[in-house]
Amino acid sequence: MTAGESLRGTDSAPVDRVLTLPNALSALRLLGVPAFIWAIATKHDAIALVILMASGITDYLDGKIARHFGLVSRVGQLLDPIADRLYIVTTLVGLAWRDIIPWWLVVVLFAREAFMGVVVLIAKRHGWTGLPVHFIGKAATFNLLYAFPALLMADGDGWLATFMRPVGWGFAWWGTVLYWVAGILYAVQLRRLIADRSAP
């Protein structure tokens, strides 16, 4: 196995097919982003919750279907992380704008995105085109995508809000920690690959 193969991951070789069910699910998730922005900005919380939950379900299904039926594609590898990040970014900004979460949490998660941007740029400078989807990174994304609907439901009074508040913050803390852990693991992996290439 070469260093480049290790960096990209070898779970299944991506293909050039575009019209696949996993890609369609990823595209639907992307189309839901503008609707979610409108819903969260106009306080249509029920619609925002439905879109967020649908995003989490389709995020799970597209990866599961792609791996199980050998439909992993380069388009899917591009669309899936873009959709994940768009939902995370728009939800963070929307919830902070509504004063449901503090702005410092937005800064912490955005700082991780900036950190990963630097890691990817360094990888490209050394000839590697991308990083594999790491299990910890995916777990972090799932935790955050579960945290956001729970925190949205916690914005209010009554037994449901009281119940969902610790649940939402539990997922948010785990997601934030795992998000950074995954980023550091990517950086460590890249450093080792660069060191192996430089070694005689």
Side-chain angles (χ1 to χ4, degrees):
M1 179 184 297
T2 67
E5 288 170 338
S6 174
L7 189 64
R8 287 191 297 268
T10 56
D11 288 341
S12 52
V15 296
D16 289 324
R17 294 175 62 185
V18 175
L19 298 177
T20 66
L21 180 57
N23 289 350
L25 291 174
S26 293
L28 282 174
R29 288 171 64 214
L30 284 171
L31 290 174
V33 172
F36 173 77
I37 294 172
W38 167 82
I40 196 76
T42 56
K43 297 188 177 182
H44 287 80
D45 291 352
I47 296 174
L49 280 170
V50 169
I51 295 172
L52 273 182
M53 286 189 265
S55 171
I57 293 169
T58 54
D59 186 33
Y60 170 79
L61 288 177
D62 64 17
K64 193 78 171 176
I65 294 169
R67 289 187 296 270
H68 184 76
F69 293 101
L71 296 174
V72 176
S73 68
R74 292 180 178 87
V75 172
Q77 288 180 333
L78 178 67
L79 289 179
D80 187 56
I82 288 175
D84 284 346
R85 280 163 175 76
L86 278 176
Y87 272 103
I88 289 172
V89 168
T90 55
T91 307
L92 278 171
V93 173
L95 293 180
W97 186 265
R98 295 265 305 272
D99 292 324
I100 296 173
I101 62 172
W103 281 102
W104 62 259
L105 180 60
V106 179
V107 173
V108 168
L109 290 171
F110 277 21
R112 190 271 188 183
E113 290 300 310
F115 174 78
M116 280 303 300
V118 173
V119 172
V120 170
L121 284 175
I122 295 172
K124 287 182 177 179
R125 282 187 60 189
H126 286 83
W128 293 300
T129 57
L131 296 168
V133 177
H134 197 284
F135 169 76
I136 295 178
K138 204 64 178 174
T141 300
F142 278 130
N143 271 275
L144 291 174
L145 290 178
Y146 292 149
F148 297 148
L151 290 172
L152 191 56
M153 285 188 281
D155 183 39
D157 301 314
W159 69 269
L160 182 60
T162 302
F163 174 77
M164 294 308 296
R165 197 166 292 117
V167 173
W169 277 110
F171 277 121
W173 279 115
W174 271 109
T176 301
V177 170
L178 290 176
Y179 216 43
W180 268 102
V181 168
I184 293 169
L185 287 176
Y186 281 129
V188 170
Q189 180 189 19
L190 178 59
R191 184 173 180 272
R192 287 175 179 170
L193 289 169
I194 294 172
D196 289 343
R197 173 179 282 184
S198 302

